[in-house]
Structures are given as C-alpha cells and as structure tokens.
Amino acid sequence: MKWASVEEALDIVLPADYKRLVQTYGGGLFAGVLWLLEPGCSDAMYDLVAQTAEREAILAELWEAGEDKPVLHEANARLVPWGYVEGAGHFLYWLVRPGVEPEEWTVLLDEGRGPLWEVYPASCSQFLLDVVAGTTTSFYFTDLGDIVDTADRTLFSPNSQILSQ
C-alpha cells in the first residue's frame, strides 16, 4: 500500500493502527457486519478515499438541511469514514481535529438512517476489538449476539474474497 498517496488524497495522516489493520487484513468484513474501508478497493462503497468524498458531500447536505451536527469542537474539524455497518447503514468516522495526533482521534458512529451519533474515545482497532469481543458500549452493537453467533464474531472476510463472488 502506498500510504503517502492515500494520505495526500485525503489531506491527513492516517492512524498507525488503521494502517496495521489494512496491512494485516486488507479491507473487509469483521464479525459479519462491520466493513473496514480500504484505500483502492474495487468497489467504491468500501473504498476509504471514495467514501470520504461521498460522506463529506452527504453530511454537508444533511447539515445544510437542518439535521443536527455532532459536536466537532473546532470549525475546521473533519469527519473521515473508516467503517460501515452493512444493512444498518451506520458509518464509523474518525473525528479529525487540528493539532490532535491521529492516534488520539475519537471514533464517532452515525446511525445512518437518522440523526443520532455515538462518541467513543478509542482507536478504530480498539472499537473493532470491542465489537468483536462483545464488550462495546455502543447501543448499535449491544444485540450483536442475537445477529452473529459467538463463534462467528472473530471471523474476517476480506474484500478480495467477498467482492469477487
């Protein structure tokens, strides 16, 4: 992965834990529900750069139409998507704030089909681990045990396998 070109396209330096996840697993589906977006994915729905541009445009339109905006602290803070929950429409974002190191970014979950947001002071890898381990405090993943068998929570399906079908 050529991280410099991805980071240049996004105009940010990505968190080291995210880069390790992508280098280790690639993009794909964790626990049967949570997609890790990957730069350069053949499907724009699961591509980090494509989704960043698309989500920025969609959120700007929603906020201009009057939907509540999550607290972004500074005027020039950004939301950059890194994950997506298939079927539910939830997006997971980093809250990118000026002067805050990537390893200190907060994770925000947008419910996707409504105005609610959840905030987690954790890295994307910690958030993923909490979801997979069943220890998350997220309202949107508390019933994951009803959807995904406990044994299947630790499964990962790479984009290369899923998208080639």
Side-chain angles (χ1 to χ4, degrees):
M1 177 69 56
K2 295 184 178 184
W3 291 110
S5 62
V6 172
E7 293 171 334
E8 183 177 335
L10 296 171
D11 196 29
I12 59 171
V13 174
L14 292 165
D17 73 305
Y18 170 78
K19 292 178 193 178
R20 282 190 300 272
L21 279 169
V22 171
Q23 289 169 330
T24 302
Y25 297 100
L29 193 59
F30 284 89
V33 296
L34 205 158
W35 286 86
L36 179 65
L37 303 181
E38 170 186 33
C41 182
S42 61
D43 186 325
M45 184 64 205
Y46 309 109
D47 179 78
L48 178 71
V49 176
Q51 277 306 306
T52 298
E54 184 175 316
R55 299 309 306 166
E56 284 177 344
I58 289 170
L59 290 174
E61 287 178 20
L62 290 171
W63 296 335
E64 286 177 27
E67 187 169 305
D68 288 340
K69 186 176 187 177
V71 176
L72 300 181
H73 305 285
E74 294 91 5
N76 50 353
R78 299 173 55 192
L79 294 176
V80 175
W82 60 267
Y84 173 70
V85 181
E86 190 75 37
H90 312 320
F91 270 89
L92 295 155
Y93 296 88
W94 290 295
L95 173 57
V96 179
R97 297 171 52 206
V100 177
E101 294 297 318
E103 280 62 44
E104 300 300 319
W105 291 346
T106 300
V107 169
L108 277 77
L109 182 147
D110 172 17
E111 75 172 324
R113 296 194 175 114
L116 300 179
W117 291 80
E118 292 182 341
V119 178
Y120 302 93
S123 66
C124 66
S125 59
Q126 184 62 56
F127 185 87
L128 276 170
L129 177 61
D130 290 344
V131 168
V132 169
T135 59
T136 183
T137 58
S138 171
F139 170 78
Y140 298 101
F141 292 101
T142 54
D143 64 348
L144 189 60
D146 296 338
I147 300 167
V148 178
D149 288 334
T150 304
D152 292 340
R153 278 190 171 186
T154 58
L155 294 180
F156 175 77
S157 302
N159 284 338
S160 59
Q161 176 186 7
I162 298 169
L163 300 176
S164 66
Q165 296 177 1

